[in-house]
Amino acid sequence: MANLKEIRNRISSVSSTMQITSAMKMVSAAKLKKAQDAITAMRPYADKLTELLQNLSASLEGDSGSVYADNRAVNKVLVVSVTSNRGLCGAFNTNILKQSVNLVENVYAGKEVDFVAVGKKANDYLGKRYNVIANHSGVFDDLTFDNVAAIAENLMELFTAGAYDRIDIVYNKFKNAATQIVMTEQFLPIVPLEVEETASADYTFEPSKVEIIEQLIPKSLKTQLYKGIRDSFASEHGARMTAMHKATDNATELRDQLKLTYNKARQAAITNEILEIVGGAEALNN
């Protein structure tokens, strides 16, 4: 059994760790509220805009006005992996990196796959194994629509220039503080909905469909990417809050066990000292 000083040092160390994890939990909880409100507010708008755009794109049927709906033979793929800049958030980053590797080794096996890293963890891991053409870790320092729109514009330019035949986004979708769902969304080309021929009769187009789509597509794609990064941002704080909550509980349990061990060891030491005194007194009496 460890001596009393060693146990006291361990108790002190665990208590310090518990204070840190508890503080991180509270910080993440405060940030989560704001991030959750932001993604909850924009998700219906983003989903409806995407649905409307897909509906219109389906009615064009290959019209040259939609360069972002150009379905080409897939030879070169670009994957946008959205992780966090920091760790201590459970399996949040690991799940994204596993899915990114799965796309390379299974889904797009035999094809040329490059990456765009949004988050330091993605850049550090994928950069050692694959070709990362861009790193946008700084976007989380000032997560605004304009900053994300600049990333989306670069992706659209790469697609229209023919540098890549398909672009996917891999991110964590926020469900609640304890649950994040790994999503793989096709960013480009746009996937049109399968609609009936008469579906467009519900709309009156002014100006033409092509002009509307030329205006809507860039905005919709920027919104889609912004939603994905916002989802990931909220998921990160939820995952970190949950991880730090569990860490605090584990530290509390370990501290209690160490205190019990310390008390037992201290009691045993006191008992031994008493026995030694009694034994010495008996020896003197005899």
Side-chain angles (χ1 to χ4, degrees):
M1 180 180 293
N3 60 46
L4 294 178
K5 183 178 179 180
E6 290 176 347
I7 297 176
R8 281 199 302 269
N9 289 339
R10 290 188 64 189
I11 291 174
S12 176
S13 176
V14 171
S15 297
S16 298
T17 301
M18 187 176 67
Q19 290 178 349
I20 295 172
T21 57
S22 180
M24 292 182 67
K25 172 191 170 184
M26 289 187 290
V27 170
S28 292
K31 291 182 177 180
L32 172 63
K33 180 64 170 64
K34 184 178 179 179
Q36 183 177 353
D37 290 343
I39 187 59
T40 302
M42 78 164 296
R43 190 177 284 164
Y45 167 78
D47 292 343
K48 190 63 180 178
L49 180 60
T50 300
E51 178 186 343
L52 175 61
L53 183 64
Q54 290 176 332
N55 205 329
L56 290 173
S57 298
S59 66
L60 284 177
E61 296 183 353
D63 194 293
S64 59
S66 181
V67 294
Y68 299 109
D70 183 15
N71 281 288
R72 305 187 286 259
V74 179
N75 295 312
K76 295 191 66 178
V77 181
L78 183 63
V79 178
V80 182
S81 294
V82 185
T83 62
S84 66
N85 287 337
R86 298 183 297 131
L88 298 177
C89 46
F92 173 84
N93 292 314
T94 303
N95 291 337
I96 293 297
L97 297 175
K98 283 183 178 179
Q99 177 61 13
S100 299
V101 172
N102 177 62
L103 290 176
V104 176
E105 297 181 350
N106 299 311
V107 179
Y108 298 123
K111 304 182 186 302
E112 184 176 344
V113 181
D114 293 337
F115 286 92
V116 168
V118 180
K120 188 174 182 296
K121 294 299 180 179
N123 184 62
D124 291 346
Y125 182 84
L126 298 173
K128 297 176 182 178
R129 295 162 176 79
Y130 308 102
N131 182 31
V132 177
I133 65 170
N135 175 26
H136 299 288
S137 302
V139 72
F140 292 112
D141 297 334
D142 186 17
L143 185 53
T144 62
F145 180 82
D146 290 339
N147 289 337
V148 176
I151 301 174
E153 287 174 358
N154 180 253
L155 296 176
M156 289 185 278
E157 289 174 3
L158 290 172
F159 179 78
T160 55
Y164 296 96
D165 304 311
R166 176 169 172 145
I167 300 177
D168 287 346
I169 309 173
V170 182
Y171 67 96
N172 278 297
K173 181 178 180 180
F174 178 80
K175 183 176 181 182
N176 53 53
T179 306
Q180 299 82 39
I181 304 171
V182 177
M183 301 291 294
T184 302
E185 288 184 0
Q186 180 173 325
F187 185 68
L188 286 168
I190 295 170
V191 182
L193 291 175
E194 295 183 1
V195 296
E196 298 178 1
E197 294 181 0
T198 58
S200 62
D202 296 332
Y203 299 96
T204 300
F205 299 100
E206 180 64 37
S208 67
K209 290 182 184 179
V210 173
E211 291 180 80
I212 292 174
I213 285 183
E214 286 177 348
Q215 295 294 324
L216 275 182
I217 283 181
K219 183 174 183 180
S220 175
L221 291 172
K222 293 172 185 177
T223 302
Q224 181 184 353
L225 182 61
Y226 183 58
K227 179 180 73 72
I229 294 178
R230 267 289 176 193
D231 253 318
S232 179
F233 189 63
S235 297
E236 175 192 349
H237 291 303
R240 182 171 290 111
M241 186 185 75
T242 302
M244 292 302 99
H245 176 73
K246 292 179 179 178
T248 302
D249 288 347
N250 291 338
T252 302
E253 182 181 351
L254 179 57
R255 184 193 61 181
D256 293 342
Q257 291 176 352
L258 287 172
K259 283 185 175 180
L260 181 61
T261 302
Y262 176 81
N263 291 334
K264 288 181 178 180
R266 185 167 178 270
Q267 185 178 17
I270 293 172
T271 302
N272 288 334
E273 289 177 2
I274 292 174
L275 291 175
E276 289 176 1
I277 293 172
V278 172
E282 287 294 331
L284 291 174
N285 290 333
N286 293 333

